[in-house]
Amino acid sequence: MASSLTSRLVHLNPITKHTPTKLNPLKNSSSFYFSLPSSLNSRRRAVIMSSSSSYDKQLVAAKKAASLAARLCQNIQKGLLQSDVQSKSDKSPVTVADYGSQVLVSFVLQKELPSQAFSLVAEEDSGDLRKEESQETLQRITKLVNDTIASDGTYNVSPLTEADVLTIIDCGTSEGGSSGQHWVLDPIDGTKGFLRGDQYAIALGLLDEGKVVLGVLACPNLPLESIRTSSQNTKAGCLFSAQLSCGTYMESLDGSPPVKVQ
C-alpha cells in the first residue's frame, strides 16, 4: 500500500562503486523516482516546482522520523525473538519492529510539525495488539519505543503508556485522499528481509493535493561507505531523501553530510 503510493516520487537506490551517476536495484526496498505528470501544462508544472521550498520543514521532520525508526529496527534485529513475530489475518508476518517503527514515525512527525493537520496512511492498526494474548507484545513494543526516544534525547516527554502506543498506532488509519496533505508510511518495507537479516527499509512519503512532493527511505542494513569504496569497516545505515524539484540525496544514518545523487 504505502510502497505503491510513495514509489511515484524518487528513484532512491544505492549507487554503484566509483560510478555515482549509476543506480543499482536495492533488493527488498521501494523504488522511488521523481516525475511530474506529463499531463500537466507548463504553467501548472512551474507552479508546483516553485512551491517545493514550502516542504523543507516536512522533509527535515521526515528524515528525523525515519532515522529514529531505523535505530529501533536495528536494535530489534540484533536480538530478534521468536515471540516478536506474529501473523496477520492474511498470514503475512508482522513484528514488534513494524509496530514500533510506525509509532516512532507518527510520534516524531506530530512533535516536529505541531501546527499542521496530521494525516497518516500507514500499514498497521492496533486491532491485534488490543487482544488479551498480545499484552506481552504490547509491553515489549512500548518499552522499545520509550528506550529509543530516551536514547535520542531530543524529546523531553514522559514515557509513553501502552494506551498511548495503541492510540499512536491508530493515527495511521487515515484514508488519505486528493485534498490536503497526507503522509504515507510502510514502517518496514520488506518484513521478510528484516526477518532474514537482509535488506529492508522504512519508506515514508508526503502527498499534497494528491501528488507526491517528498520521500524518505531509511535502509538500516545498507552501509553508505560500501557503496563508494571496498572498505569492510563501515557502519550500516543509509538515508535517502528527495523533495520535489530539489534532487535526491543520500547520507549515513549517523549523520554524515548528504551527497547528491545525479
Side-chain angles (χ1 to χ4, degrees):
M1 173 194 64
S3 298
S4 62
L5 288 172
T6 52
S7 63
R8 295 158 49 196
L9 180 58
V10 189
H11 193 67
L12 296 180
N13 287 325
I15 60 174
T16 55
K17 179 180 174 183
H18 303 311
T19 52
T21 60
K22 296 182 181 179
L23 300 177
N24 280 340
L26 170 62
K27 185 179 180 182
N28 293 326
S29 74
S30 297
S31 291
F32 290 63
Y33 61 91
F34 249 145
S35 63
L36 289 175
S38 59
S39 59
L40 294 178
N41 61 45
S42 58
R43 178 176 297 180
R44 190 176 177 194
R45 288 166 65 90
V47 169
I48 291 175
M49 294 180 71
S50 66
S51 67
S52 64
S53 61
S54 64
Y55 304 110
D56 288 347
K57 290 183 179 179
Q58 289 96 323
L59 183 62
V60 170
K63 290 172 65 175
K64 173 70 173 176
S67 297
L68 202 59
R71 185 183 305 177
L72 175 140
C73 293
Q74 285 175 321
N75 290 334
I76 292 174
Q77 196 177 44
K78 291 175 183 176
L80 189 67
L81 305 175
Q82 186 172 357
S83 59
D84 289 341
V85 185
Q86 300 179 344
S87 293
K88 294 190 281 190
S89 56
D90 63 358
K91 304 303 181 182
S92 61
V94 60
T95 70
V96 294
D98 291 87
Y99 289 117
S101 175
Q102 183 164 317
V103 170
L104 284 173
V105 169
S106 181
F107 172 85
V108 171
L109 291 177
Q110 292 183 71
K111 287 293 183 183
E112 295 292 324
L113 305 166
S115 63
Q116 298 183 5
F118 184 69
S119 173
L120 175 66
V121 183
E123 190 80 12
E124 312 303 340
D125 61 60
S126 70
D128 289 338
L129 291 177
R130 293 180 184 274
K131 298 176 181 178
E132 185 174 350
E133 61 268 25
S134 298
Q135 289 310 296
E136 288 187 10
T137 300
L138 176 58
Q139 291 171 8
R140 177 157 163 76
I141 294 167
T142 303
K143 183 180 186 306
L144 289 165
V145 167
N146 282 323
D147 288 349
T148 305
I149 293 173
S151 68
D152 178 67
T154 301
Y155 305 105
N156 185 21
V157 295
S158 300
L160 300 177
T161 66
E162 293 169 15
D164 292 333
V165 167
L166 293 172
T167 298
I168 295 173
I169 289 173
D170 285 338
C171 286
T173 57
S174 169
E175 294 184 357
S178 59
S179 178
Q181 293 188 0
H182 307 281
W183 293 98
V184 184
L185 170 70
D186 190 335
I188 293 187
D189 184 8
T191 299
K192 292 182 179 179
F194 173 82
L195 294 174
R196 292 194 305 266
D198 203 343
Q199 298 295 341
Y200 64 98
I202 294 91
L204 178 63
L206 178 63
L207 299 176
D208 191 357
E209 301 300 320
K211 297 175 179 61
V212 186
V213 294
L214 68 81
V216 171
L217 194 70
C219 306
N221 281 347
L222 185 67
L224 181 67
E225 289 304 318
S226 68
I227 296 173
R228 301 174 181 163
T229 71
S230 59
S231 173
Q232 298 300 313
N233 299 315
T234 58
K235 291 184 178 180
C238 275
L239 180 68
F240 298 89
S241 60
Q243 182 182 172
L244 188 65
S245 80
C246 295
T248 303
Y249 291 83
M250 64 179 183
E251 60 196 272
S252 66
L253 283 172
D254 61 5
S256 69
V259 176
K260 191 169 186 178
V261 179
Q262 299 297 328

Short mmCIF file of all heavy atoms in Angstrom, two decimals, residues 44-66:
data_model
loop_
_atom_site.label_atom_id
_atom_site.label_comp_id
_atom_site.label_asym_id
_atom_site.label_seq_id
_atom_site.Cartn_x
_atom_site.Cartn_y
_atom_site.Cartn_z
N ARG A 44 1.30 25.05 -14.95
CA ARG A 44 0.98 24.34 -13.72
C ARG A 44 2.22 23.62 -13.17
O ARG A 44 2.45 23.58 -11.97
CB ARG A 44 -0.14 23.34 -13.97
CG ARG A 44 -0.69 22.71 -12.69
CD ARG A 44 -1.85 21.81 -13.01
NE ARG A 44 -2.33 21.15 -11.80
CZ ARG A 44 -3.15 20.12 -11.79
NH1 ARG A 44 -3.59 19.64 -12.95
NH2 ARG A 44 -3.55 19.57 -10.67
N ARG A 45 3.03 23.07 -14.08
CA ARG A 45 4.27 22.41 -13.65
C ARG A 45 5.19 23.42 -12.96
O ARG A 45 5.82 23.12 -11.95
CB ARG A 45 4.98 21.78 -14.85
CG ARG A 45 4.30 20.54 -15.39
CD ARG A 45 4.87 20.19 -16.75
NE ARG A 45 6.28 19.81 -16.67
CZ ARG A 45 6.69 18.58 -16.48
NH1 ARG A 45 5.82 17.60 -16.30
NH2 ARG A 45 7.97 18.30 -16.44
N ALA A 46 5.26 24.62 -13.49
CA ALA A 46 6.13 25.65 -12.92
C ALA A 46 5.66 26.05 -11.53
O ALA A 46 6.46 26.26 -10.62
CB ALA A 46 6.17 26.87 -13.83
N VAL A 47 4.34 26.14 -11.35
CA VAL A 47 3.79 26.50 -10.04
C VAL A 47 4.14 25.43 -9.01
O VAL A 47 4.55 25.73 -7.89
CB VAL A 47 2.26 26.68 -10.13
CG1 VAL A 47 1.65 26.77 -8.74
CG2 VAL A 47 1.93 27.92 -10.93
N ILE A 48 3.97 24.15 -9.39
CA ILE A 48 4.27 23.06 -8.48
C ILE A 48 5.75 23.06 -8.10
O ILE A 48 6.12 22.93 -6.94
CB ILE A 48 3.88 21.71 -9.10
CG1 ILE A 48 2.36 21.61 -9.22
CG2 ILE A 48 4.41 20.55 -8.26
CD1 ILE A 48 1.89 20.38 -9.94
N MET A 49 6.63 23.23 -9.09
CA MET A 49 8.06 23.20 -8.83
C MET A 49 8.50 24.40 -8.00
O MET A 49 9.33 24.27 -7.09
CB MET A 49 8.84 23.16 -10.14
CG MET A 49 8.63 21.86 -10.91
SD MET A 49 9.53 21.81 -12.46
CE MET A 49 11.19 21.65 -11.85
N SER A 50 7.93 25.57 -8.23
CA SER A 50 8.34 26.75 -7.48
C SER A 50 7.90 26.70 -6.04
O SER A 50 8.44 27.39 -5.18
CB SER A 50 7.77 28.01 -8.15
OG SER A 50 6.36 28.02 -8.05
N SER A 51 6.90 25.86 -5.72
CA SER A 51 6.40 25.78 -4.36
C SER A 51 7.11 24.74 -3.53
O SER A 51 6.79 24.53 -2.37
CB SER A 51 4.89 25.45 -4.39
OG SER A 51 4.68 24.14 -4.90
N SER A 52 8.12 24.06 -4.09
CA SER A 52 8.75 22.94 -3.41
C SER A 52 9.43 23.34 -2.12
O SER A 52 9.53 22.55 -1.20
CB SER A 52 9.76 22.25 -4.33
OG SER A 52 10.82 23.14 -4.64
N SER A 53 9.92 24.61 -2.04
CA SER A 53 10.63 25.03 -0.84
C SER A 53 9.72 25.03 0.38
O SER A 53 10.19 25.04 1.51
CB SER A 53 11.22 26.43 -1.05
OG SER A 53 10.19 27.37 -1.32
N SER A 54 8.40 25.02 0.17
CA SER A 54 7.47 25.03 1.30
C SER A 54 7.47 23.70 2.04
O SER A 54 6.85 23.60 3.09
CB SER A 54 6.05 25.34 0.81
OG SER A 54 5.58 24.32 -0.07
N TYR A 55 8.16 22.69 1.51
CA TYR A 55 8.19 21.39 2.15
C TYR A 55 9.49 21.13 2.93
O TYR A 55 9.73 20.02 3.36
CB TYR A 55 7.99 20.29 1.11
CG TYR A 55 6.73 20.45 0.29
CD1 TYR A 55 6.80 20.80 -1.06
CD2 TYR A 55 5.48 20.27 0.86
CE1 TYR A 55 5.65 20.97 -1.81
CE2 TYR A 55 4.33 20.45 0.12
CZ TYR A 55 4.42 20.79 -1.22
OH TYR A 55 3.28 20.96 -1.96
N ASP A 56 10.29 22.17 3.11
CA ASP A 56 11.57 21.98 3.80
C ASP A 56 11.37 21.44 5.22
O ASP A 56 12.07 20.53 5.65
CB ASP A 56 12.34 23.30 3.86
CG ASP A 56 12.90 23.71 2.50
OD1 ASP A 56 12.91 22.87 1.59
OD2 ASP A 56 13.31 24.88 2.36
N LYS A 57 10.44 22.02 5.97
CA LYS A 57 10.21 21.58 7.35
C LYS A 57 9.71 20.14 7.38
O LYS A 57 10.12 19.36 8.25
CB LYS A 57 9.19 22.50 8.03
CG LYS A 57 9.72 23.90 8.33
CD LYS A 57 8.68 24.72 9.07
CE LYS A 57 9.22 26.12 9.39
NZ LYS A 57 8.21 26.94 10.10
N GLN A 58 8.84 19.80 6.44
CA GLN A 58 8.33 18.43 6.39
C GLN A 58 9.45 17.44 6.08
O GLN A 58 9.48 16.34 6.63
CB GLN A 58 7.21 18.31 5.36
CG GLN A 58 5.90 19.00 5.76
CD GLN A 58 5.79 20.39 5.17
OE1 GLN A 58 6.78 21.12 5.06
NE2 GLN A 58 4.58 20.77 4.78
N LEU A 59 10.37 17.83 5.21
CA LEU A 59 11.47 16.93 4.86
C LEU A 59 12.38 16.70 6.07
O LEU A 59 12.80 15.57 6.33
CB LEU A 59 12.27 17.50 3.69
CG LEU A 59 13.39 16.61 3.19
CD1 LEU A 59 12.85 15.28 2.66
CD2 LEU A 59 14.20 17.31 2.10
N VAL A 60 12.70 17.75 6.79
CA VAL A 60 13.52 17.60 8.00
C VAL A 60 12.84 16.67 8.99
O VAL A 60 13.47 15.78 9.58
CB VAL A 60 13.79 18.99 8.64
CG1 VAL A 60 14.45 18.82 10.02
CG2 VAL A 60 14.67 19.84 7.74
N ALA A 61 11.53 16.86 9.18
CA ALA A 61 10.79 16.00 10.12
C ALA A 61 10.75 14.56 9.64
O ALA A 61 10.89 13.62 10.44
CB ALA A 61 9.36 16.54 10.28
N ALA A 62 10.59 14.36 8.34
CA ALA A 62 10.53 13.01 7.79
C ALA A 62 11.86 12.28 7.96
O ALA A 62 11.89 11.09 8.30
CB ALA A 62 10.14 13.06 6.31
N LYS A 63 12.96 12.99 7.73
CA LYS A 63 14.28 12.38 7.90
C LYS A 63 14.51 12.00 9.36
O LYS A 63 15.04 10.92 9.66
CB LYS A 63 15.36 13.34 7.41
CG LYS A 63 15.38 13.53 5.91
CD LYS A 63 16.32 14.63 5.47
CE LYS A 63 17.77 14.31 5.77
NZ LYS A 63 18.68 15.34 5.22
N LYS A 64 14.11 12.87 10.27
CA LYS A 64 14.24 12.58 11.70
C LYS A 64 13.41 11.36 12.07
O LYS A 64 13.87 10.46 12.79
CB LYS A 64 13.79 13.80 12.50
CG LYS A 64 13.72 13.59 14.01
CD LYS A 64 15.09 13.44 14.63
CE LYS A 64 15.00 13.40 16.14
NZ LYS A 64 16.31 13.17 16.78
N ALA A 65 12.17 11.31 11.59
CA ALA A 65 11.27 10.21 11.92
C ALA A 65 11.79 8.88 11.40
O ALA A 65 11.82 7.88 12.13
CB ALA A 65 9.88 10.50 11.35
N ALA A 66 12.21 8.85 10.15
CA ALA A 66 12.69 7.61 9.55
C ALA A 66 13.98 7.15 10.21
O ALA A 66 14.21 5.95 10.40
CB ALA A 66 12.88 7.78 8.05
#
